[in-house]
Amino acid sequence: MPFVISGLPLAVRILLAVAAGGMAVLAFAPFSFYPIAILSLALCYALLSGSGPREGLLIGWGFGIGLMGFGIFWIRISTHEYGNMAPWLAYLLTALLMVVAAFYYGIAGALTARLSAGARLSGPLLAFPAAWVLTEWLRGWLFTGFPWLTIGYTQIDAPLAGLAPITGVYGISLVLALCAGLLWCLIRRRGRIRYAALAGLVLIWLAGTALKGIEWTEPDGAGFRATVVQANIPQSLKWDPDTRISSLRAYLGLTRERWDSDLILWPETAVPDFLHEVEDSFIRPLAAEAREQGTELVIGIPVMDREVRLYFNGLISIGTVEDVYRKRHLVPFGEFIPFRDWLEPIARVFEVPMSDFTAGDAPRPLLRVGEHLAGASICYEDVFPAEVIEALPEAAYLINVSNDAWFGDSLAPHQHLEMARMRALENERWLLRSTNTGISAILDHRGQILGRVPLFERGAFSAEVQPRRGATSFVYLGNRLAIGLAFLMLALSIPYARRKGPGEAATQLWRNRKE
């Protein structure tokens, strides 16, 4: 029956939306069943079809709760196990974040329902993709941004990944939601519309496959041998003064085994002391040793400006040249307190070491490493595509250092690596990623993993890295193309929402008979 889903009680539709959102988590790493993303979005639209804005809000919110509930539950680990928060409070705050993040999907649901009323095709093909992507984009920057689980990441190994160098991850989300709308039309419509929907799906996926064969950048000179090291220092010991010497010895041991590399990368805050405190006793002797071996070292270390008494999450390069990068996009509550005047009382329940960082003010995220400039990012800076592209086209490759130990043995390290892969592909630059406990990896310019150091293992991985020059379309256009298309699609759907089409009339008649 055409209106079986829309005719279900609202509570049932909300529960189905929660299930659809939870199912979507399987499309992300480490599961990576990417077709599930289209199926879950198609089910979401089917539940929204025929709904009013209020119902759409609740259904979309339900989808978001399912997605966030299953997808970011790992935040509890950082607040409870490492933030020293009482278990009940850790669960409460995690649930609050999930509900708030899920509300963006509620906005998308309400907007889709409002603009789909009476529309045969503009709802699934214009309103739904546009509303979905615009709210994803809004979530990515409003209140410092939380762009985790953007649906486009699920396609990193799929044909739609060919769009990444042109439109970025939000463009993939837009096309993915469009594919979900076409799938809905294929199932629910008849005649020529059904055949057109099938043709549209085939053409989109063929175009994505063809685009994957295009290279937008080119090699720049000779390659070099790079190594990422992972000392696997437990988060509970990382800032313990009694274990600092043993931690540094672990990094030194891994480094000295790989002096045949041209570049060795240590993870975020690998040195758990301020730079000025260990500069003479540790950093300068290590830099001299690196120069003697002909190796560049890049190390994560806190940096203090002693004149103004501010400290930064830093990344230093030592060897033939010396340079410093200060993290520009900080983690709320983990590295700074947002809206301090309002939220200071809440923040006092956290006991996070080094949680009062200051954001760096460099205009671009570049770090000089030997003869090359590298695009630098620390921790979750690499989940903001518009910030990473600011290093291009000068950056010959990308560097990301992180400490995902905060989230234990959960989905988070796998999801974070998946996002790093998308950055490599969007910019067509090799990416070196070193983390404290995993997953450290070297990615090529297509976002493919050449090798990794698994979670909770001490080790290193080396590979020949090829610097590149030039820039993709995404570097020049950023998110403007995807978001501009989404706004255009939204505007085109508005006139259709003012009409009472046969679908809406039939739905209302079915409901009247039921009452």
Side-chain angles (χ1 to χ4, degrees):
M1 293 179 59
F3 304 108
V4 168
I5 293 182
S6 60
L8 291 173
L10 178 59
V12 175
R13 283 183 283 155
I14 293 173
L15 289 175
L16 287 173
V18 173
M23 180 177 70
V25 175
L26 297 176
F28 292 90
F31 312 106
S32 302
F33 301 138
Y34 65 83
I36 289 180
I38 297 178
L39 297 175
S40 63
L41 290 180
L43 177 55
C44 182
Y45 181 77
L47 294 165
L48 292 169
S49 179
S51 301
R54 184 185 70 86
E55 294 173 320
L57 174 69
L58 296 175
I59 292 169
W61 204 347
F63 184 97
I65 288 173
L67 177 64
M68 294 294 162
F70 288 98
I72 64 169
F73 186 72
W74 40 262
I75 288 177
R76 172 204 61 82
I77 300 173
S78 62
T79 56
H80 168 46
E81 296 184 16
Y82 303 122
N84 301 312
M85 189 179 292
W88 69 269
L89 186 56
Y91 280 97
L92 178 62
L93 290 181
T94 301
L96 179 62
L97 175 61
M98 292 173 182
V99 170
V100 171
F103 186 70
Y104 288 95
Y105 296 93
I107 297 172
L111 192 57
T112 298
R114 174 66 183 87
L115 295 178
S116 296
R120 298 187 65 196
L121 296 177
S122 66
L125 305 185
L126 293 176
F128 178 63
W132 184 276
V133 169
L134 289 175
T135 48
E136 275 195 337
W137 170 68
L138 186 67
R139 180 166 62 90
W141 60 265
L142 190 63
F143 306 126
T144 80
F146 184 66
W148 217 272
L149 295 184
T150 298
I151 201 71
Y153 286 116
T154 63
Q155 306 302 298
I156 186 65
D157 291 314
L160 293 184
L163 295 169
I166 303 173
T167 67
V169 68
Y170 291 116
I172 297 176
S173 288
L174 184 69
V175 174
L176 191 62
L178 174 61
C179 288
L182 288 169
L183 178 60
W184 183 87
C185 291
L186 179 64
I187 296 171
R188 298 292 297 272
R189 298 302 184 191
R190 296 181 179 179
R192 288 179 296 178
I193 293 178
R194 173 175 289 182
Y195 295 122
L198 177 60
L201 283 169
V202 172
L203 287 174
I204 287 173
W205 286 74
L206 286 176
T209 302
L211 288 171
K212 288 186 75 172
I214 298 176
E215 292 206 349
W216 304 84
T217 62
E218 60 184 5
D220 183 17
F224 62 90
R225 186 168 181 79
T227 295
V228 294
V229 299
Q230 180 176 301
N232 191 33
I233 308 299
Q235 186 62 29
S236 57
L237 301 178
K238 183 173 178 61
W239 299 99
D240 186 345
D242 295 333
T243 63
R244 289 179 183 179
I245 293 178
S246 62
S247 297
L248 293 178
R249 284 176 176 168
Y251 284 110
L252 285 173
L254 291 168
T255 297
R256 286 168 175 160
E257 292 173 358
R258 305 284 177 139
W259 278 135
D260 59 336
S261 299
D262 300 298
L263 166 63
I264 299 176
L265 177 65
W266 293 16
E268 178 186 13
T269 58
V271 179
D273 289 292
F274 286 114
L275 174 60
H276 70 273
E277 295 176 333
V278 296
E279 188 167 15
D280 292 331
S281 62
F282 183 74
I283 297 298
R284 292 197 182 281
L286 182 58
E289 187 176 354
R291 285 193 295 271
E292 183 179 340
Q293 298 292 335
T295 302
E296 310 294 337
L297 277 176
V298 178
I299 300 173
I301 185 172
V303 178
M304 176 178 282
D305 186 329
R306 286 182 284 178
E307 291 185 3
V308 293
R309 305 298 296 178
L310 297 176
Y311 58 89
F312 306 84
N313 193 344
L315 194 60
I316 62 171
S317 66
I318 56 177
T320 58
V321 297
E322 295 185 0
D323 200 5
V324 179
Y325 169 73
R326 296 175 175 87
K327 186 177 182 183
R328 306 187 308 163
H329 197 137
L330 302 179
V331 179
F333 298 104
E335 293 176 315
F336 82 109
I337 309 303
F339 314 109
R340 182 177 288 274
D341 293 341
W342 297 348
L343 301 179
E344 180 79 35
I346 298 176
R348 288 174 187 161
V349 302
F350 293 85
E351 296 181 24
V352 179
M354 307 293 288
S355 58
D356 196 20
F357 282 111
T358 298
D361 58 1
R364 303 178 67 192
L366 289 166
L367 180 73
R368 170 67 66 177
V369 183
E371 63 181 20
H372 294 113
L373 282 171
S377 61
I378 298 176
C379 189
Y380 93 146
E381 282 187 313
D382 68 335
V383 308
F384 298 94
E387 296 178 13
V388 174
I389 64 173
E390 292 175 3
L392 277 295
E394 285 80 3
Y397 58 94
L398 304 176
I399 283 175
N400 174 251
V401 297
S402 189
N403 180 23
D404 292 339
W406 286 105
F407 309 113
D409 188 10
S410 68
L411 301 179
H414 304 277
Q415 294 169 350
H416 199 176
L417 177 60
E418 183 175 60
M419 289 185 274
R421 294 181 61 195
M422 186 63 75
R423 297 294 86 80
L425 179 57
E426 287 171 342
N427 297 278
E428 279 202 0
R429 289 295 192 273
W430 289 58
L431 189 150
L432 315 180
R433 187 168 192 268
S434 181
T435 68
N436 183 24
T437 58
I439 305 168
S440 301
I442 295 181
L443 316 175
D444 70 10
H445 66 293
R446 312 296 285 180
Q448 298 303 304
I449 302 173
L450 298 184
R452 69 179 84 190
V453 185
L455 275 172
F456 308 117
E457 291 187 14
R458 178 171 294 182
F461 176 76
S462 303
E464 291 294 321
V465 172
Q466 175 60 64
R468 298 185 72 84
R469 63 187 174 196
T472 64
S473 296
F474 180 69
V475 168
Y476 293 115
L477 297 174
N479 293 324
R480 290 187 291 273
L481 177 58
I483 303 308
L485 285 173
F487 272 117
L488 177 61
M489 293 167 70
L490 195 71
L492 292 174
S493 69
I494 292 175
Y496 294 97
R498 297 172 181 168
R499 304 174 185 174
K500 284 237 177 197
E504 182 185 13
T507 301
Q508 188 62 48
L509 178 61
W510 190 91
R511 288 178 175 171
N512 292 340
R513 288 178 177 176
K514 184 179 178 182
E515 294 173 359

